[in-house]
């Protein structure tokens, strides 16, 4: 235990959160058993979130949190010793020491933080269908499109790729003259029909939903360079965990995009991280604000996968903390997995409110000294009912406590302060410029134009002579210039690598092929068949 931590209240294996008749400690070894922070608007949820985030960061645990109102950004700046803050700290036996924490800002729109992007392939059909609000038939057609893309080596990176692919699988119902040119996309259309009836009307509906998503900013989210989640899981030079803040004030105007994006992040963490069992402290703590948006109108298949990911991601060393106004916003089967609870005040003005208060009280381990139902409605600002897991993994009896004051600033930072932090960011320049790699759109355009590379011929523009012979020999060795039916994912990758090497020797097509390989293979090898935990687990 360091001297500073002693004054702040934290010790090596626990975070001091608040004090009432008893002290409330969050045990780091049990922090990956997930948690819940609830309460009405203005009762102090954001401060509680900041206190826990600061504690995790001090312990060397990276944090990711969505910042809906901008208030959480203050964690990046030194706190102020205001009278009410010093008074509260003194009453708890603490010495208030202003502090600040290394912070990285992220923004789907790239305006107040580093851009956050994912490829359409990584998102997968299940989450994309949720984002587009598709029905079962439309989701089925979307799955057909993804399968056809896999089988034909068509990377779906951005929105124009998906649009081009959907156009390509629409059946061609027009009658052609005898001398009409052959449809270059006929094999793709035939393959799509082989998986089921793909109609023009259904594809048109999906295209219109894509337009809605584009108008909400989806075009900026889908593309490359795709986010590397390991960039969230870093510590600073002092060994403290980095605090990653998703600027979500504008994103919240598109609640379905917000919820699906955070769910995608969870699924990617679940897929990428190795098993960790029960580590002495989490590898990452994930705060999901406005959590009710995740569960609103979610179909059963999606709810099953949400529950599965929340249950299993614990073993990857990730703690998930849902932040919402009311415990009944979270389904019971997910609520039962949230062991660490912080409940701020609720107001009971309507029958539904009274039901919510009763439900919140029932989620705690009873304390004979407290009437939990009554206390929930009496809590003042900054007070909370707290129950954290004890050493044997069972919930402690609920206690009424005053939440400790944060050490960093309470409230938003200025645009100038944000710019200074972004200029010094460890990921500055990595995601700031979008890359348009060769993918499904470009490949299909080449086929339509008659310039696509065929499976049994040399690359367009490779020429003949000795260099052309070299390309042919290398292609034969790897089996990538031999005519075949569907290519497996491994064959597709081998083909692209071979073409890249060959054309680097030739020199004429080096830049173009390098772009193609970067788009298909950069950071996403093997994801043609498994797209994140949620898409992959369904094996669609």
């Amino acid at each position: 235990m360091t001297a500073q931590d002693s004054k702040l209240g934290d010790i090596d294996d626990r975070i001091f959160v608040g004090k009432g008749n008893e002290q409330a400690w969050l045990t780091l070894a049990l922090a990956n058993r997930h948690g819940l922070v609830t309460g009405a608007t203005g009762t102090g949820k954001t401060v509680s979130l900041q206190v826990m985030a600061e504690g995790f960061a001090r312990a060397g645990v990276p944090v990711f949190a969505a910042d809906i109102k901008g208030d959480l950004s203050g964690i990046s700046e030194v706190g102020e010793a205001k009278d009410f803050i010093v008074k509260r700290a003194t009453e708890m036996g603490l010495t208030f020491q202003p502090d600040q924490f290394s912070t990285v800002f992220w923004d789907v729109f790239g305006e107040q933080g580093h851009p956050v992007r994912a490829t359409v392939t990584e998102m997968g059909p299940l989450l994309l269908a949720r984002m587009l609000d598709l029905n079962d038939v439309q989701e089925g057609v979307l799955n057909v499109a993804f399968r056809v893309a896999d089988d034909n080596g068509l990377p779906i990176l951005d929105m124009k790729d998906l649009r081009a692919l959907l156009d390509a699988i629409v059946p061609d119902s027009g009658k052609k003259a005898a001398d009409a040119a052959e449809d270059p996309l006929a094999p793709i259309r035939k393959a799509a029909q082989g998986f089921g009836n793909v109609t023009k009307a259904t594809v048109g509906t999906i295209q219109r939903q894509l337009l809605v998503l584009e108008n909400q900013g989806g075009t900026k989210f889908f593309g490359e360079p795709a986010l590397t989640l390991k960039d969230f899981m870093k510590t600073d030079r002092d060994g403290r965990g980095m605090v990653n803040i998703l600027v979500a004030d504008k994103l919240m105007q598109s609640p379905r995009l917000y919820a699906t994006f955070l769910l995608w992040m969870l699924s990617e963490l679940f897929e990428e991280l190795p098993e960790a069992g029960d580590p002495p402290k989490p590898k990452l703590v994930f705060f999901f604000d406005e959590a009710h948006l995740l569960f609103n109108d979610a179909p059963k298949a999606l709810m099953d996968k949400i529950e599965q990911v929340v249950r299993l991601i614990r073993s990857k060393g990730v703690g998930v903390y849902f932040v919402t106004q009311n415990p009944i916003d979270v389904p019971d089967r997910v609520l039962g997995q949230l062991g660490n609870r912080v409940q701020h005040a609720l107001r009971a003005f309507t029958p539904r409110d009274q039901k919510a208060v009763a439900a919140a009280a029932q989620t705690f381990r009873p304390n004979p000294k407290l009437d939990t139902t009554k206390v929930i409605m009496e809590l003042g600002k900054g007070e909370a009912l707290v129950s954290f897991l004890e050493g044997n993994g069972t919930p402690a009896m609920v206690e009424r406590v005053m939440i400790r004051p944060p050490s960093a600033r309470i409230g938003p930072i200025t645009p100038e302060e944000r710019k200074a932090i972004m200029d010094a960011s460890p990921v500055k320049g990595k995601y700031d410029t979008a890359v348009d790699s060769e993918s499904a759109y470009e490949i299909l355009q080449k086929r339509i134009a008659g310039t696509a590379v065929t499976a049994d011929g040399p690359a367009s523009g490779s020429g003949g002579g000795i260099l052309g012979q070299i390309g042919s020999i290398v292609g034969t060795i790897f089996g990538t210039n031999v005519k075949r039916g569907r290519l497996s994912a491994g064959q597709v990758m081998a083909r692209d690598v071979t073409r890249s090497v060959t054309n680097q020797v030739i020199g004429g097509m080096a830049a173009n092929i390098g772009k193609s390989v970067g788009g298909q293979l950069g950071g996403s090898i093997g994801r043609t068949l498994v797209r994140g935990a949620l898409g992959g687990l369904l094996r669609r």
Side-chain angles (χ1 to χ4, degrees):
M1 180 172 65
T2 65
Q4 182 182 16
D5 287 343
S6 176
K7 293 178 182 178
L8 292 169
D10 296 337
I11 58 178
D12 290 339
D13 62 346
R14 292 187 294 174
I15 299 171
F16 178 60
V17 175
K19 181 181 179 182
N21 292 331
E22 302 288 340
Q23 293 182 332
W25 297 90
L26 176 56
T27 303
L28 288 171
L30 299 172
N32 65 334
R33 306 291 179 93
H34 310 319
L36 180 69
V37 181
T38 53
T41 301
T43 56
K45 294 193 301 295
T46 302
V47 171
S48 294
L49 192 160
Q50 182 170 335
V51 166
M52 288 192 285
E54 290 181 2
F56 283 121
R58 286 192 195 96
V61 178
V63 172
F64 175 89
D67 189 11
I68 303 296
K69 298 175 292 184
D71 292 345
L72 194 58
S73 60
I75 198 172
S76 62
E77 298 296 330
V78 178
E80 302 175 42
K82 296 182 178 179
D83 291 342
F84 75 94
I85 293 177
V86 174
K87 179 181 178 182
R88 185 183 297 187
T90 303
E91 290 173 349
M92 295 182 179
L94 303 177
T95 300
F96 178 76
Q97 291 187 338
D99 204 351
Q100 66 184 128
F101 298 84
S102 299
T103 305
V104 179
F105 291 103
W106 303 88
D107 185 357
V108 168
F109 303 101
E111 297 173 356
Q112 300 183 68
H114 301 291
V116 181
R117 300 184 189 90
T119 66
V120 176
T121 295
E122 288 173 325
M123 182 64 65
L126 177 64
L127 290 182
L128 191 58
R130 156 77 167 168
M131 191 181 293
L132 297 175
D133 195 21
L134 303 183
N135 62 29
D136 291 343
V137 174
Q138 294 155 1
E139 182 182 347
V141 171
L142 192 63
N143 275 279
V144 169
F146 273 77
R147 177 63 181 271
V148 170
D150 286 348
D151 292 344
N152 289 271
L154 300 171
I156 319 173
L157 304 182
D158 51 28
M159 298 290 274
K160 72 178 187 300
D161 290 330
L162 183 56
R163 283 193 175 279
L165 182 62
L166 289 169
D167 288 338
I169 66 173
V170 173
D172 187 0
S173 57
K175 294 183 178 180
K176 295 183 178 181
D179 59 347
E182 182 180 352
D183 181 7
L185 301 182
I188 292 178
R189 302 187 201 279
K190 183 178 179 181
Q193 292 300 321
F195 292 113
N197 185 27
V198 177
T199 67
K200 187 175 183 179
T202 301
V203 171
T205 301
I206 298 174
Q207 294 276 32
R208 288 191 293 273
Q209 291 299 95
L210 284 176
L211 178 61
V212 174
L213 183 61
E214 289 171 352
N215 291 340
Q216 293 179 351
T219 304
K220 294 185 177 181
F221 174 58
F222 290 109
E224 290 188 315
L227 178 65
T228 301
L229 293 180
K230 289 184 179 179
D231 284 335
F232 285 158
M233 306 176 67
K234 294 182 176 180
T235 55
D236 62 16
R237 66 183 65 183
D238 298 322
R240 289 181 166 194
M242 297 291 293
V243 178
N244 300 274
I245 294 181
L246 175 68
V247 180
D249 52 351
K250 184 176 178 181
L251 184 60
M252 277 300 298
Q253 298 174 20
S254 308
R256 193 175 293 271
L257 176 60
Y258 167 78
T260 309
F261 163 66
L262 292 186
L263 183 55
W264 165 77
M265 282 189 55
L266 278 180
S267 69
E268 289 293 289
L269 287 168
F270 175 79
E271 179 191 357
E272 292 186 8
L273 294 179
E275 290 289 330
D278 287 313
K281 61 184 180 181
K283 292 182 177 180
L284 174 72
V285 172
F286 189 104
F287 289 96
F288 199 140
D289 202 358
E290 299 292 339
H292 64 281
L293 296 173
L294 179 63
F295 308 106
N296 285 353
D297 303 321
K300 184 179 184 301
L302 184 59
M303 280 300 308
D304 290 342
K305 296 309 167 185
I306 294 173
E307 179 191 6
Q308 187 174 18
V309 169
V310 172
R311 184 176 70 250
L312 297 179
I313 203 171
R314 176 192 65 80
S315 64
K316 305 297 183 86
V318 177
V320 182
Y321 287 73
F322 294 102
V323 184
T324 187
Q325 291 196 16
N326 205 305
I328 64 175
D329 294 334
V330 182
D332 289 343
R333 51 184 175 168
V334 176
L335 191 63
Q337 300 176 44
L338 312 180
N340 299 297
R341 306 284 182 88
V342 178
Q343 174 68 62
H344 288 275
L346 290 175
R347 309 306 178 204
F349 300 118
T350 68
R352 184 183 184 277
D353 293 338
Q354 294 170 0
K355 179 182 177 182
V357 170
Q362 292 170 5
T363 62
F364 288 105
R365 179 182 169 187
N367 185 338
K369 300 178 182 179
L370 287 178
D371 182 344
T372 308
T373 303
K374 181 180 179 181
V375 171
I376 288 178
M377 295 184 289
E378 296 176 346
L379 293 170
K381 186 174 181 179
E383 283 190 300
L385 289 174
V386 172
S387 175
F388 295 135
L389 295 177
E390 296 180 321
N392 56 1
T394 59
M397 287 192 298
V398 61
E399 293 286 348
R400 181 175 183 171
V401 304
M402 177 65 73
I403 301 297
R404 62 170 291 178
S407 301
R409 182 188 300 177
I410 300 175
I413 61 175
T414 66
E416 293 75 22
E417 291 169 332
R418 184 185 299 272
K419 184 179 184 302
I421 292 170
M422 291 182 61
D423 288 342
S425 170
V427 296
K428 179 178 173 57
K430 183 173 182 179
Y431 300 103
D432 297 335
T433 303
V435 177
D436 187 13
S437 302
E438 184 177 74
S439 46
Y441 174 80
E442 290 80 9
I443 295 172
L444 291 171
Q445 288 297 312
K446 285 183 179 181
R447 290 188 185 182
I448 294 172
T451 60
V453 178
T454 59
D456 56 349
S460 176
S462 63
I466 184 63
L467 295 180
Q469 295 176 26
I470 292 174
S472 177
I473 292 171
V474 175
T476 301
I477 292 174
F478 285 92
T480 57
N481 62 358
V482 180
K483 188 173 182 179
R484 55 172 62 86
R486 293 177 178 171
L487 297 180
S488 68
Q491 289 171 334
V492 170
M493 288 186 282
R495 178 194 65 189
D496 291 335
V497 172
T498 301
R499 288 177 183 167
S500 178
V501 173
T502 302
N503 283 281
Q504 285 175 11
V505 174
I506 295 171
M509 297 287 289
N512 186 37
I513 298 298
K515 181 182 178 184
S516 174
V517 173
Q520 281 187 256
L521 304 181
S524 58
I525 292 178
R527 294 193 182 182
T528 54
L529 297 180
V530 181
R531 308 178 193 85
L534 299 185
L537 287 171
L538 288 182
R539 293 291 189 267
R540 293 186 180 271

